[in-house]
Amino acid sequence: MDSFQETFSFISNGSHALILSIPLGASCITAILSGPIADRIGRKKFVWIACVIHLIGTITQTVVKSFTPFLVGKLIAGVSIGMLSVMCPLYQSEISLPEHRGRLISMHQFGVTVGFCIAFWITYGTFNLKGELPWRVPFGLQIMPPFIMMVGVYFIPESPRWLISQGKFSEAKDILQRLRCKKDQHDLDLSMEYTGMIQERNYDRKYSSKSYKSLLTRGIDNNKKRTTLGVGLHVMTQLTGINAFMFYLPYILESTGIVETNSALLSNGISGMVNMLATIPSFLYIDKWGRKPIMITGAIVMATCMSVIAIIQGIFFEHIPSGAAHAFKGSSFPIAVYTRDGHASFAMLVILCLYLACFALSWGSMGWIYPAEIYPQSIRAKGLGITTGASFATSIFVSQIAPVLFKNIEWGTYLFFGALCLIESYLVHIIYPETKVYNK
């Protein structure tokens, strides 16, 4: 967008990396610090505060006319994203039954993919508007989600597990009764679940520490192993290459031979829709199959997709002439090769969509489910904060290394991420215990 480039002087100051790194860095730090705050003030209040912060960030991005305040707006929004990325799966894990936990937490990933899809199509729909509207309108529309969520938070109950940790037993049981749709407060299943929560709280108070240091202790609970598994899973999720492709998807589509801007944005929207729709079937099997088989199978299929794309582009690639114009003016993404053959371009696009669908069917949800299942209640908020922070930190690394890889090893980048997927499938097989049966 010429107007966007000119307004914020992107072409002259080369600030593309900051626009990705600063918000992700803010999200990383905020995620790590979210646990103690959420444990102190409660889940609902914490989400409401995050929505207010996000609202401030989006309004700032929409109205400013220079780079520095725009970056401040991105940073503020990044703070809220870090908060919500910890709190949404945490809240879902605390209100769900163990046998439904996978499906409920998968709703978080589904919401993420819905957001990506809507954002892609809004960009496509507004790209040809006049003046500053192609970017003012998308930024302005970002105001709606936090506002809707602020209203929605009023109607959801507080986490009964958090209430019990605060000694508010009567309120916790009333909410638990409503969540389980029980008419009788003395229902056997309800009473057993409620008693189990109190016993867990009493055990944690007597034998467990709530400090960050406790995340690295062994002891009876072996929290060090839990933290290693949680952080490792989030790191591996990012190293599948998903955000390298989602962040730079229009430019990657350009390298497949889609050289017109509108066509690239249209393909971008289609890819986002595939990612969103592929998340839906996971609700059917996520709580029936084991966590490990889903991750192992997903990683192997993603590795296969990356390998096939590398082979096709390796055979049909052509170097872009030096000084040639890119589909996206002012692009800092160094697309060095593209594919001229129409059939090869179509095949690459289909396989890329298959890769996105496979991620959505496996690692997309599992990256949130598994860490939420391995921590005891006393340190769950802090544990999820650390693991989510690791996810954002790795995302920064991937977002910065992806352009370097595409510039230097070209189609070999797909082989690189494919190899990582294979390594991850092996690590999950030999290191990660199954949590479907032993979830808390």
Side-chain angles (χ1 to χ4, degrees):
M1 301 176 189
D2 292 338
S3 173
F4 185 76
Q5 300 279 355
E6 293 167 3
T7 301
F8 298 112
S9 304
F10 272 34
I11 297 176
S12 62
N13 63 26
S15 302
H16 300 79
L18 287 176
I19 291 299
L20 273 177
S21 301
I22 295 298
L24 288 173
S27 297
C28 173
I29 295 171
T30 309
I32 293 172
L33 300 176
S34 291
I37 302 173
D39 283 340
R40 184 176 181 83
I41 67 175
R43 309 329 190 196
K44 285 184 62 174
K45 190 178 294 184
F46 188 84
V47 171
W48 192 87
I49 292 172
C51 291
V52 172
I53 294 173
H54 195 76
L55 200 58
I56 295 171
T58 53
I59 291 174
T60 302
Q61 293 172 61
T62 305
V63 302
V64 298
K65 293 187 176 182
S66 59
F67 177 75
T68 301
F70 176 75
L71 187 60
V72 171
K74 295 287 288 184
L75 187 149
I76 295 172
V79 167
S80 67
I81 295 299
M83 297 170 68
L84 293 170
S85 295
V86 173
M87 197 46 51
C88 290
L90 173 64
Y91 178 82
Q92 290 165 327
S93 70
E94 290 184 342
I95 66 170
S96 62
L97 287 167
E99 58 267 28
H100 300 151
R101 186 174 293 144
R103 273 173 286 178
L104 196 57
I105 299 179
S106 292
M107 291 298 295
H108 173 72
Q109 176 63 17
F110 179 66
V112 172
T113 59
V114 169
F116 270 119
C117 184
I118 292 174
F120 289 160
W121 284 109
I122 289 175
T123 302
Y124 174 73
T126 60
F127 190 80
N128 292 317
L129 297 179
K130 302 297 182 182
E132 297 182 346
L133 291 178
W135 59 273
R136 293 280 186 195
V137 171
F139 281 134
L141 290 175
Q142 290 183 92
I143 296 172
M144 294 177 61
F147 178 76
I148 294 172
M149 198 169 185
M150 285 172 65
V151 176
V153 166
Y154 177 78
F155 297 98
I156 65 173
E158 181 57 86
S159 163
R161 288 185 177 273
W162 179 81
L163 289 170
I164 287 174
S165 72
Q166 302 298 306
K168 300 178 180 180
F169 302 110
S170 177
E171 185 180 354
K173 190 164 188 179
D174 289 340
I175 290 175
L176 194 62
Q177 181 184 359
R178 281 187 284 148
L179 288 172
R180 304 296 179 253
C181 299
K182 301 292 185 180
K183 295 181 179 179
D184 183 7
Q185 204 172 56
H186 300 290
D187 178 88
L188 179 60
D189 291 337
L190 178 68
S191 297
M192 289 179 64
E193 183 180 6
Y194 174 69
T195 302
M197 290 181 180
I198 293 178
Q199 289 176 340
E200 183 180 4
R201 178 251 193 189
N202 293 338
Y203 174 87
D204 289 340
R205 286 198 163 213
K206 187 173 183 179
Y207 298 106
S208 301
S209 170
K210 294 184 178 182
S211 67
Y212 278 105
K213 185 179 179 181
S214 65
L215 292 171
L216 299 176
T217 58
R218 294 184 182 274
I220 299 175
D221 293 325
N222 200 357
N223 291 329
K224 184 177 181 179
K225 182 177 181 179
R226 296 171 192 255
T227 302
T228 302
L229 293 174
V231 169
L233 191 68
H234 266 298
V235 169
M236 289 193 294
T237 300
Q238 294 301 323
L239 292 180
T240 61
I242 184 62
N243 274 346
F245 301 117
M246 296 304 290
F247 288 159
Y248 300 112
L249 190 54
Y251 307 111
I252 291 171
L253 291 171
E254 182 183 351
S255 74
T256 68
I258 304 174
V259 295
E260 294 185 3
T261 304
N262 281 343
S263 297
L265 290 175
L266 177 61
S267 300
N268 199 31
I270 294 172
S271 301
M273 186 170 291
V274 168
N275 189 29
M276 178 191 72
L277 294 176
T279 307
I280 298 174
S282 67
F283 298 148
L284 302 176
Y285 60 79
I286 204 78
D287 283 317
K288 295 181 179 179
W289 302 353
R291 310 312 191 206
K292 290 180 65 173
I294 293 174
M295 290 190 285
I296 292 171
T297 304
I300 292 173
V301 176
M302 285 190 290
T304 303
C305 291
M306 291 293 96
S307 300
V308 173
I309 291 176
I311 292 171
I312 295 174
Q313 194 165 64
I315 295 173
F316 293 98
F317 83 97
E318 296 181 31
H319 283 281
I320 296 178
S322 178
H326 288 285
F328 299 93
K329 297 180 180 179
S331 169
S332 66
F333 191 82
I335 293 294
V337 297
Y338 73 106
T339 304
R340 191 187 297 272
D341 186 277
H343 296 295
S345 296
F346 180 76
M348 290 174 64
L349 180 59
V350 170
I351 297 170
L352 182 59
C353 286
L354 180 60
Y355 162 84
L356 293 174
C358 185
F359 177 84
L361 289 166
S362 55
W363 286 73
S365 297
M366 212 56 65
W368 302 110
I369 295 170
Y370 196 96
E373 292 182 321
I374 60 177
Y375 288 108
Q377 179 64 28
S378 60
I379 57 169
R380 185 171 289 154
K382 294 182 181 68
L384 291 185
I386 294 293
T387 57
T388 306
S391 177
F392 284 117
T394 313
S395 187
I396 296 172
F397 170 75
V398 170
S399 70
Q400 299 306 309
I401 198 176
V404 178
L405 292 174
F406 275 103
K407 180 179 180 180
N408 291 286
I409 61 175
E410 300 169 349
W411 50 265
T413 304
Y414 298 107
L415 288 178
F416 173 76
F417 284 113
L420 288 179
C421 287
L422 285 179
I423 293 171
E424 290 171 11
S425 68
Y426 179 70
L427 290 176
V428 170
H429 174 67
I430 64 170
I431 295 176
Y432 280 75
E434 181 58 65
T435 60
K436 176 183 175 292
V437 177
Y438 302 106
N439 49 17
K440 292 187 72 67

